[in-house]
Amino acid sequence: MERRTIAPRPGWQQTVEAQGLIYPLTRYPDDSLRPYWDESAYYVFSLPEVEALEETVEELHRMCLAAADHIVTAGRFADLGITDPHVAGAVAEAWHRRAELPSVYGRFDLRYDGTGPAKMLEYNADTPTSLVEAASPQWFWMEDRFPGADQWNSLHERLVAAWRKQAPLLPPGSPLHFAHSADDELGEDLMTVAYLKETAEQAGLATDWISMEEIGWDPLSGRFVDNGLRFIRAIFKLYPWEWLTTDRFADHVLDTLDNGGGTGSTLWIEPAWKMLLSNKALLAILWELYPGHPNLLPAYLDGPRELAAGPGYVAKPLLGREGAGVTVHEPTADPAAAPAAGPAVRDEPCCYQALAPLPAFDGNHVVLGAWVVGDESAGLGIRESSGLITDEYARFLPHVIL
């Protein structure tokens, strides 16, 4: 793994916008605009390095599924902050019927510096973004800059194949709706959903488009409807399940949930069991099930325990995106001088994960976003940040296998 600088292509902004990345710039607090898509540098990997990372990602995915099964079997929903029995029941049923429910994709965030084993930071398996830039502009950048080279990137082909394979699970005779929130101001959610809709169409599926705010409720039939008053039988939503199960229509969502077997009226993609994987409590449960695993970091739910003395820890809210609410705590310099009560435990439910500072390349802190489609490794997206937390000001950089 190596970071190399390079001159950006002339007209790069117009080029990536034409390829679906309509948010190539980020507005900073001083009102300046700086590149989000940053092709002034790129990362180089060797083929054996990528093959090893692919194996790691698929092993982590299998471990996450085993952890999800443990959560359901042991009834540990409260550890995830799921205290509503109706929601817990829906998640458990979705897990037991997962073979009947379409499930498309997810993204691991990994710490990796090219020398030691990759470490899992988290798994967003419900509403991951940065998909468009990883699948499309990044590939075309490689073809422009390094024709004949390769890239860890089979996202497009695998997404089309996943939709085609799971088409029999969709209700017949109805389009698959695609939805995002109209509150999205940058266009990232919009283009992520548009891209996934395109891959579904290439798989031969009939699709339609709607925003989450436009979904209607027909009290006479007791069903969700679209703008044309057609029943919504299947819908992909870029809208977190924790919102879907707590907003004003939550009871309708749960009461009409098609959780496999065709017993409900609306099939939601991703399915409800993805709540088990996108919750930071998963990190602590993984460490409990696989203590000492080389690709995991120690993590706990009841406090940082021994991590406070060393190596330090990161407190992560169980639910959150783009670094929101994450705090970094360096190790206690003098454990003997620490307060008798020990390190502070936050009021909100958190996961306390061992501090593994993101590696710095030329002063930039890098995190690998490793994609899973179905149950297989599918590609890589790289984000850089100025600090240790990958936040909304992170930049996306392309990569190549040489």
Side-chain angles (χ1 to χ4, degrees), residues 50-260:
V50 168
E51 289 174 340
L53 285 168
E54 287 181 318
E55 291 179 4
T56 295
V57 167
E58 293 187 359
E59 180 180 5
L60 286 171
H61 178 68
R62 289 191 295 269
M63 290 162 58
C64 289
L65 295 181
D69 189 65
H70 167 76
I71 293 168
V72 173
T73 302
R76 298 183 61 177
F77 294 100
D79 286 339
L80 279 67
I82 301 175
T83 56
D84 185 332
H86 202 182
V87 176
V91 174
E93 182 184 19
W95 174 253
H96 292 309
R97 289 180 171 270
R98 63 189 179 280
E100 305 168 47
L101 298 172
S103 173
V104 185
Y105 75 137
R107 191 197 73 230
F108 281 99
D109 284 349
L110 305 175
R111 185 213 181 273
Y112 180 70
D113 62 6
T115 59
K119 301 288 187 179
M120 176 182 171
L121 299 176
E122 58 188 66
Y123 192 12
N124 187 341
D126 183 19
T127 59
T129 54
S130 78
L131 175 68
V132 174
E133 45 270 45
S136 179
Q138 176 175 226
W139 181 264
F140 292 118
W141 168 89
M142 180 197 67
E143 290 191 326
D144 285 346
R145 286 303 200 191
F146 299 95
D150 202 359
Q151 193 175 80
W152 183 5
N153 190 356
S154 57
L155 276 163
H156 190 86
E157 298 87 344
R158 290 188 184 275
L159 286 168
V160 173
W163 288 120
R164 186 176 292 120
K165 178 181 179 180
Q166 298 183 99
L169 301 177
L170 298 173
S174 300
L176 174 60
H177 287 75
F178 282 80
H180 78 293
S181 174
D183 288 340
D184 169 38
E185 297 179 353
L186 298 177
E188 183 176 14
D189 290 359
L190 167 71
M191 294 310 297
T192 300
V193 171
Y195 175 65
L196 286 165
K197 181 175 182 290
E198 177 186 343
T199 59
E201 290 169 351
Q202 290 185 17
L205 301 182
T207 68
D208 208 338
W209 183 271
I210 194 170
S211 72
M212 293 297 300
E213 290 78 5
E214 291 174 323
I215 296 174
W217 174 255
D218 180 4
L220 295 179
S221 63
R223 292 187 174 188
F224 289 109
V225 295
D226 64 13
N227 290 326
L229 299 182
R230 295 175 301 174
F231 296 148
I232 297 177
R233 288 289 291 113
I235 181 168
F236 175 91
K237 86 290 177 295
L238 199 70
Y239 193 79
W241 268 102
E242 63 264 25
W243 297 356
L244 203 61
T245 54
T246 55
D247 69 15
R248 57 184 293 220
F249 289 101
D251 289 342
H252 296 324
V253 170
L254 295 170
D255 290 342
T256 64
L257 182 62
D258 184 344
N259 233 352

Side-chain angles (χ1 to χ4, degrees), residues 304-314 328-344 355:
R305 301 189 189 180
E306 78 281 357
L307 304 178
Y313 63 95
V314 177
V328 176
H329 304 261
E330 298 288 346
T332 304
D334 181 5
L355 175 61

